[in-house]
């Protein structure tokens, strides 16, 4: 996923794409852990000591993580807000008539310091949160919301932008400049610039409440994920588990000060092997039930009330801005355009996938019955019995594959694909500071050897890291006043850690995830745009997932597998017989995979297509939504409401369908590569030049047509999933 950050800031960053402002921020005795800051702090000393107020002398001006303290973020936010306030005042008080340069370009370039601290803080908070950082987030959240509203509802600023927009035919703008003007004008209108003063006041209060609630939701999910641990003290309860999973559980127990025991957590690298291999059905149920009930335990971390308020506030905001529902508001700015268009695609896939999932469930029930056991297949059984069906039908299981997917080999395979397609090379740099010891940094160069960016790779779970995987930007590529600013990108995951003295061996799902997030990274690294607002991965959610879904397809191609899949002990290239088994089983369990995803995407739209969602009973609403589409009880939606961070905190509200929408493009594009040759230079150049490097400078579907020469078809998607 393209992680659009912890959504105190996602709303700020994704909705607005600038870096914005509050007139004056007084920091008066703010406690951050054991630190207190007074408004009487010597400003000169603060600026001398705070890394954000200095020019970074690190390689490629990357963040000096080892020098940044939690209080530095807090002070830099205050200064950054004040600086952009002054910059906006300078634009609005300019006596010259509004022009593209003195208004639009000036606005696009404003808020450099605030953006610098915001993206750095956000990324570290998501990947390595501490109590101190969470307190900083709680403190700055309302100030950022207020600041954003001050900018986007600034009458004087909007009047200048509107004047330039109305006179755009006279400005002699090129296509990128015109796109910037149109996007910024739309940004302001969609953020309430045309509202009455009374409605603006209402909107500001809504935005403030949304910012606080999204942060609360995120903190609750993290707390719930970390709170549960399945502690095993009887060796017989480990029966069926691979040695690597047992060893990792022993390491977890040792870290948890429970020597001689085994601990399994709700992090997927720990949970999924247990659900897949543990013979003890009662313990599988216990672990999976704890996972499903995160945020739904009627305790201080319960998210049901948070969801009620968030859904209602977003609906209220949409109506205030002139839209029927929040889904209408969001999708008007997406490729899909309307909620019905998105729902139509989901239902088309749903109708094809549900019968396949039912057939898969029947096969597993048959296996249970044949074994002489007398119980009905349940959701916590699916991984266990699907793995047995796979082994029976294809003589293949995950443990046969893992030895060929050493993390470093898979990573280097992704690097090799990028080099063969686009000429990129990745050079590890140990002199670039990192925020955690197991993070690695790489310099990226193009085919001519020119530096084009930096990427951090952070692949292992930790207590302070949000679950899942994502790409993000510490710095976005752009060209202020003709000066080239190169991107600093991160790929973050939660893959299986090394066990004992052995390497980290990935599951097949991990392999595809690594390639997926790397596709986002290539999008950010390839950016070649002039303006900040339009650069990098700033496209709509239902297009931004296209490059990542596309890259994911390369992981399983036989030609690519032979490039990176080598046995970690012998160095042997993955045998053709095993590749054939992977290909034969490629449609296996696709009913389940597709149904659990589409169910979650439909649940998302159901929440946000409500015009007036008052007094929602979250559990009942979710149950009725799933019953309406006929979801079978053996499968749960990929995300239950109370931990569905995509749609409540990370910028995919009314947009989780985006993965499927983008996959239509990705599968169609990959099929085109297959027809022309996987490493066809002309096709690769066209994809790079028309898609990866364009940012949001061109209407998304026009980008696709410029590359492909035609609109995409859903045929390749349905075939890939074995649904056609």
């Amino acid at each position: 996923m393209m992680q659009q950050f912890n959504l105190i800031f996602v709303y700020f960053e994704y909705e607005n794409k600038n870096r914005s402002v509050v007139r004056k921020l007084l920091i008066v005795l703010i406690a951050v852990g054991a630190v207190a800051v007074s408004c009487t702090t010597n400003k000169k000393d603060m600026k001398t000591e705070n890394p954000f107020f200095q020019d970074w002398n690190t390689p490629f001006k990357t963040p000096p993580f080892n020098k940044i303290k939690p209080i530095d973020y807090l002070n830099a936010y205050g200064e950054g807000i004040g600086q952009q306030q002054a910059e906006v005042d300078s634009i609005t008080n300019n006596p010259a008539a509004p022009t593209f340069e003195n208004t639009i370009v000036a606005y696009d370039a404003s808020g450099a310091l605030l953006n610098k601290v915001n993206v750095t803080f956000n990324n570290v908070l998501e990947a390595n949160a501490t109590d101190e950082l969470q307190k900083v987030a709680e403190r700055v959240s309302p100030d950022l919301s207020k600041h954003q509203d001050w900018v986007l509802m600034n009458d004087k600023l909007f009047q200048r932008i509107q004047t330039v927009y109305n006179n755009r035919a006279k400005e002699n703008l090129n296509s990128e400049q015109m796109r910037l003007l149109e996007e910024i004008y739309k940004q302001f209108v969609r953020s309430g610039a045309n509202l009455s003063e009374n409605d603006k006041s209402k909107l500001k209060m809504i935005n403030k409440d949304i910012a606080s609630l999204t942060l609360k939701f995120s903190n609750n999910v993290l707390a719930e994920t970390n709170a549960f641990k399945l502690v095993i003290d009887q060796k017989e309860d480990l029966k069926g588990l691979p040695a690597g999973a047992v060893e990792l559980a022993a390491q977890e127990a040792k870290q948890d000060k429970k020597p001689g025991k085994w601990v399994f957590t709700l992090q997927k690298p720990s949970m999924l092997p247990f659900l897949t291999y543990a013979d003890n059905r009662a313990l599988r149920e216990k672990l999976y039930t704890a996972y499903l009930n995160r945020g739904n335990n009627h305790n201080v971390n319960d998210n049901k009330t948070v969801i009620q308020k968030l859904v209602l506030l977003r609906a209220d905001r949409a109506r205030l801005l002139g839209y029927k529902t929040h889904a209408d508001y969001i999708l008007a700015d997406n490729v899909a355009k309307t909620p019905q268009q998105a729902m139509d695609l989901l239902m088309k896939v749903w109708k094809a996938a549900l019968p396949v999932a039912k057939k898969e469930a029947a096969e597993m029930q048959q296996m249970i019955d044949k074994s002489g056991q007398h119980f009905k297949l349940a959701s916590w059984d699916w991984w266990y019995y699907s793995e047995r069906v796979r082994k029976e039908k294809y003589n293949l299981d995950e443990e046969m594959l893992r030895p060929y997917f050493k993390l470093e080999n898979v990573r280097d395979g992704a690097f090799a694909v990028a080099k063969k397609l686009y000429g990129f090379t990745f050079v590890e740099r140990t002199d670039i500071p990192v925020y955690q010891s197991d993070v690695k940094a790489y310099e990226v160069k193009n085919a001519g050897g020119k530096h084009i960016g930096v990427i951090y790779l952070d692949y292992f779970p930790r207590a302070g890291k949000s679950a899942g995987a994502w790409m993000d930007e510490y710095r976005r590529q752009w060209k202020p006043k003709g000066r080239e600013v190169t991107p600093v990108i991160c790929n973050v995951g939660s893959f299986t850690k090394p066990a004992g003295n052995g390497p980290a061996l990935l599951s097949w799902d991990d392999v595809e995830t690594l390639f997926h997030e790397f596709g986002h990274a290539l999008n950010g690294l390839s950016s070649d745009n002039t303006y900040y607002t339009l650069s990098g991965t700033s496209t709509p959610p239902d297009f931004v997932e296209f490059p990542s879904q596309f890259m994911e397809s390369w992981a399983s191609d036989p030609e690519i597998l032979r490039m990176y899949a080598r046995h970690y002990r012998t160095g042997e290239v993955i045998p053709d017989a095993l590749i054939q088994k992977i290909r034969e089983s490629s449609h296996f369990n696709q009913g389940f995979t597709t149904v659990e995803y589409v169910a979650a995407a439909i649940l998302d739209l159901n929440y946000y297509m409500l015009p007036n969602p008052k007094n929602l009973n979250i559990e009942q609403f979710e149950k009725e939504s799933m019953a309406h589409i006929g979801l079978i009880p053996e499968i749960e939606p990929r995300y239950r409401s109370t931990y569905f961070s995509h749609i409540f905190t990370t910028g995919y509200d009314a947009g989780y369908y985006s993965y499927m929408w983008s996959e239509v493009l990705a599968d169609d594009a990959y099929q085109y590569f297959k027809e022309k040759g996987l490493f066809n230079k002309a096709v690769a150049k066209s994809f790079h030049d028309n898609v990866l490097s364009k940012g949001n400078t061109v209407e998304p579907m026009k980008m696709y047509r410029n590359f492909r020469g035609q609109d995409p078809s859903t045929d390749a998607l349905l075939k890939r999933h074995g649904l056609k």
Side-chain angles (χ1 to χ4, degrees):
M1 117 185 205
M2 163 85 196
Q3 173 79 357
Q4 274 153 346
F5 351 105
N6 185 341
L7 228 244
I8 63 182
F9 306 115
V10 169
Y11 177 78
F12 167 80
E13 181 70 20
Y14 176 73
E15 249 329 279
N16 193 16
K17 304 273 198 276
N18 73 346
R19 293 70 82 203
S20 291
V21 314
V22 101
R23 180 177 285 283
K24 197 172 185 183
L25 182 66
L26 294 178
I27 304 171
V28 185
L29 214 60
I30 302 164
V32 181
V35 183
V37 180
S38 169
C39 62
T40 60
T41 299
N42 186 297
K43 192 172 182 180
K44 184 176 180 181
D45 290 345
M46 180 180 75
K47 287 197 171 186
T48 301
E49 296 172 2
N50 191 322
F52 286 104
F53 303 146
Q54 303 165 12
D55 187 38
W56 290 346
N57 60 4
T58 52
F60 314 112
K61 298 186 182 298
T62 50
F65 297 109
N66 56 324
K67 296 181 180 179
I68 301 172
K69 303 181 293 295
I71 199 65
D72 294 331
Y73 291 114
L74 198 59
N75 290 332
Y77 268 117
E79 181 71 15
I81 283 172
Q83 280 189 19
Q84 195 180 24
Q85 170 67 51
E87 290 163 348
V88 170
D89 283 346
S90 178
I91 296 170
T92 59
N93 294 329
N94 188 340
T99 66
F100 179 78
E101 286 294 328
N102 71 20
T103 301
I104 304 303
V105 173
Y107 171 70
D108 179 69
S110 68
L113 174 59
L114 183 55
N115 184 62
K116 187 177 186 179
V117 62
N118 191 46
V119 294
T120 305
F121 177 75
N122 247 345
N123 279 300
V124 174
L125 182 68
E126 284 293 316
N128 205 25
T130 62
D131 290 342
E132 291 92 341
L133 292 180
Q134 288 181 325
K135 288 174 183 176
V136 172
E138 291 165 4
R139 175 63 183 87
V140 301
S141 172
D143 294 318
L144 281 173
S145 177
K146 185 178 178 182
H147 159 71
Q148 174 179 306
D149 290 339
W150 183 88
V151 173
L152 293 174
M153 298 183 210
N154 186 310
D155 285 333
K156 290 175 70 176
L157 179 59
F158 179 60
Q159 290 305 317
R160 290 184 68 91
I161 291 170
Q162 190 171 45
T163 298
V164 179
Y165 181 78
N166 290 339
N167 295 332
R168 60 192 181 280
K170 302 175 184 177
E171 287 275 356
N172 194 29
L173 304 177
N174 63 33
S175 60
E176 185 175 5
Q177 291 169 333
M178 185 63 78
R179 180 76 173 175
L180 177 68
L181 173 57
E182 290 170 347
E183 288 296 299
I184 286 178
Y185 176 74
K186 181 172 62 176
Q187 213 173 68
F188 273 73
V189 172
R190 284 174 57 80
S191 299
N194 277 327
L195 295 178
S196 67
E197 288 305 313
N198 184 50
D199 284 345
K200 283 181 181 178
S201 296
K202 292 178 183 177
L203 184 57
K204 288 174 184 177
M205 186 58 67
I206 289 172
N207 289 341
K208 179 183 176 182
D209 290 344
I210 287 174
S212 297
L213 288 166
T214 53
L215 178 60
K216 182 173 177 58
F217 186 101
S218 182
N219 288 343
N220 287 348
V221 173
L222 182 61
E224 290 278 277
T225 301
N226 290 335
F228 179 87
K229 292 180 180 178
L230 178 64
V231 181
I232 292 177
D233 51 17
Q234 300 295 323
K235 198 167 185 177
E236 56 265 29
D237 289 333
L238 302 170
K239 187 178 179 183
L241 286 166
V246 173
E247 191 167 353
L248 282 172
Q251 288 178 198
E252 187 73 36
K254 188 176 181 181
Q255 291 173 8
D256 208 33
K257 298 181 180 178
K258 295 181 175 66
K261 298 183 180 181
W262 299 267
V263 171
F264 293 87
T265 72
L266 299 182
Q267 296 283 357
K268 287 193 173 181
S270 177
M271 181 183 75
L272 287 182
F274 195 89
L275 294 178
T276 305
Y277 296 107
D279 291 339
N280 190 317
R281 185 173 187 250
L283 291 180
R284 293 201 310 270
E285 178 182 3
K286 184 177 181 180
L287 185 63
Y288 190 55
T289 301
Y291 175 80
L292 289 179
N293 284 332
R294 288 178 298 160
N296 188 29
N297 290 307
H298 311 289
N299 57 17
V300 68
N301 297 319
D302 197 283
N303 268 331
K304 292 191 291 295
T305 300
V306 177
I307 294 170
Q308 287 174 337
K309 293 176 180 178
L310 271 174
V311 174
L312 182 59
L313 284 167
R314 285 171 171 162
D316 289 345
R317 182 176 64 191
R319 282 200 309 277
L320 202 57
L321 292 168
Y323 294 87
K324 181 181 177 182
T325 70
H326 181 65
D328 287 288
Y329 167 68
I330 291 294
L331 273 82
D333 201 34
N334 285 4
V335 178
K337 297 303 178 189
T338 68
Q340 196 56 53
Q341 290 255 65
M343 188 66 85
D344 286 348
L345 172 64
L346 292 174
M347 290 309 300
K348 180 178 181 179
V349 176
W350 178 264
K351 289 173 183 177
L354 187 60
V356 178
K358 289 179 177 178
K359 182 179 178 182
E360 291 167 356
E363 284 184 312
M364 287 183 272
Q365 187 63 57
Q366 190 176 36
M367 178 174 279
I368 293 168
D369 296 342
K370 280 184 178 179
S371 69
Q373 301 182 76
H374 303 287
F375 61 84
K376 191 177 186 304
L377 179 75
S379 56
W380 55 85
D381 295 314
W382 194 285
W383 285 268
Y384 183 83
Y385 283 99
S386 66
E387 190 62 21
R388 271 139 194 79
V389 171
R390 177 181 5 217
K391 193 168 185 179
E392 183 179 274
K393 290 180 73 170
Y394 304 105
N395 192 25
L396 177 69
D397 64 38
E398 284 284 357
E399 294 309 301
M400 293 172 65
L401 298 177
R402 277 186 189 271
Y404 293 95
F405 297 140
K406 180 182 174 182
L407 172 61
E408 291 76 8
N409 291 347
V410 178
R411 175 202 65 202
D412 291 347
F415 287 173
V417 171
K419 184 173 184 179
K420 293 194 74 169
L421 286 173
Y422 316 118
F424 293 175
T425 55
F426 298 78
V427 181
E428 186 174 0
R429 295 287 298 259
T430 57
D431 56 337
I432 294 177
V434 293
Y435 54 86
Q436 218 276 341
S437 59
D438 57 11
V439 177
K440 295 186 181 297
Y442 294 82
E443 179 187 2
V444 188
K445 299 179 181 180
N446 66 13
K450 177 186 174 184
H451 171 86
I452 61 169
V454 169
I455 183 170
Y456 301 107
L457 301 182
D458 177 4
Y459 283 146
F460 300 127
R462 64 182 70 95
K465 181 188 282 189
S466 295
W470 61 90
M471 169 269 185
D472 213 331
E473 298 160 322
Y474 278 89
R475 185 174 69 220
R476 191 184 291 187
Q477 178 276 333
W478 64 309
K479 301 172 185 176
K481 297 180 180 179
R483 177 174 60 89
E484 181 70 48
V485 175
T486 55
V488 178
I489 305 296
C490 64
N491 270 178
V492 185
S494 298
F495 303 145
T496 304
K497 290 181 178 180
N501 295 322
L505 301 177
L506 304 188
S507 68
W508 179 246
D509 182 64
D510 291 339
V511 172
E512 291 188 313
T513 299
L514 187 150
F515 270 75
H516 176 102
E517 300 306 336
F518 189 64
H520 281 308
L522 292 176
N523 193 183
L525 291 164
S526 299
S527 178
D528 185 19
N529 312 124
T530 303
Y531 303 108
Y532 187 93
T533 297
L534 301 178
S535 72
T537 56
S538 58
T539 53
D542 53 1
F543 193 84
V544 78
E545 293 297 334
F546 165 36
S548 55
Q549 299 274 43
F550 170 74
M551 191 64 186
E552 188 177 323
S553 299
W554 293 76
S556 60
D557 190 277
E559 184 177 346
I560 310 303
L561 276 166
R562 295 186 189 99
M563 288 169 53
Y564 72 86
R566 296 176 177 271
H567 198 284
Y568 78 98
R569 284 201 183 102
T570 66
E572 173 198 13
V573 175
I574 189 168
D576 287 346
L578 200 49
I579 292 177
Q580 184 61 27
K581 288 180 181 181
I582 294 173
R583 289 174 63 79
E584 288 173 351
S585 65
S586 63
H587 293 160
F588 174 74
N589 211 35
Q590 283 297 306
F592 168 80
T593 302
T594 307
V595 161
E596 65 155 6
Y597 162 75
V598 175
I602 290 172
L603 178 62
D604 168 35
L605 285 177
N606 283 349
Y607 274 119
Y608 292 119
M609 288 173 72
L610 294 172
N612 190 22
K614 288 184 177 179
N615 303 316
L616 272 184
N617 181 313
I618 301 305
E619 290 176 293
Q620 182 181 343
F621 182 82
E622 181 180 297
K623 185 177 180 180
E624 290 176 354
S625 291
M626 297 300 95
H628 181 72
I629 58 175
L631 179 64
I632 58 178
E634 295 88 349
I635 299 178
E636 297 285 349
R638 184 169 296 179
Y639 298 102
R640 296 281 297 274
S641 300
T642 52
Y643 57 88
F644 202 167
S645 295
H646 284 78
I647 70 168
F648 294 120
T649 69
T650 57
Y652 281 74
D653 38 297
Y656 193 60
Y657 77 91
S658 298
Y659 291 92
M660 186 63 71
W661 191 276
S662 295
E663 193 177 350
V664 171
L665 306 178
D667 289 345
D668 188 71
Y670 185 69
Q671 183 61 38
Y672 184 54
F673 267 83
K674 292 284 285 182
E675 291 168 5
K676 299 295 184 180
L678 273 184
F679 296 108
N680 182 295
K681 294 294 184 184
V683 177
K685 186 177 188 306
S686 178
F687 187 76
H688 177 274
D689 294 351
N690 288 304
V691 178
L692 292 181
S693 69
K694 287 298 183 186
N696 194 23
T697 60
V698 179
E699 190 275 322
M701 288 310 297
K702 186 177 179 182
M703 278 192 240
Y704 189 82
R705 294 184 199 103
N706 289 344
F707 155 67
R708 182 71 169 87
Q710 63 185 48
D711 285 334
S713 163
T714 60
D715 287 353
L717 178 144
L718 295 174
K719 287 177 182 177
R720 183 182 177 215
H721 287 277
L723 306 177
K724 181 175 181 178

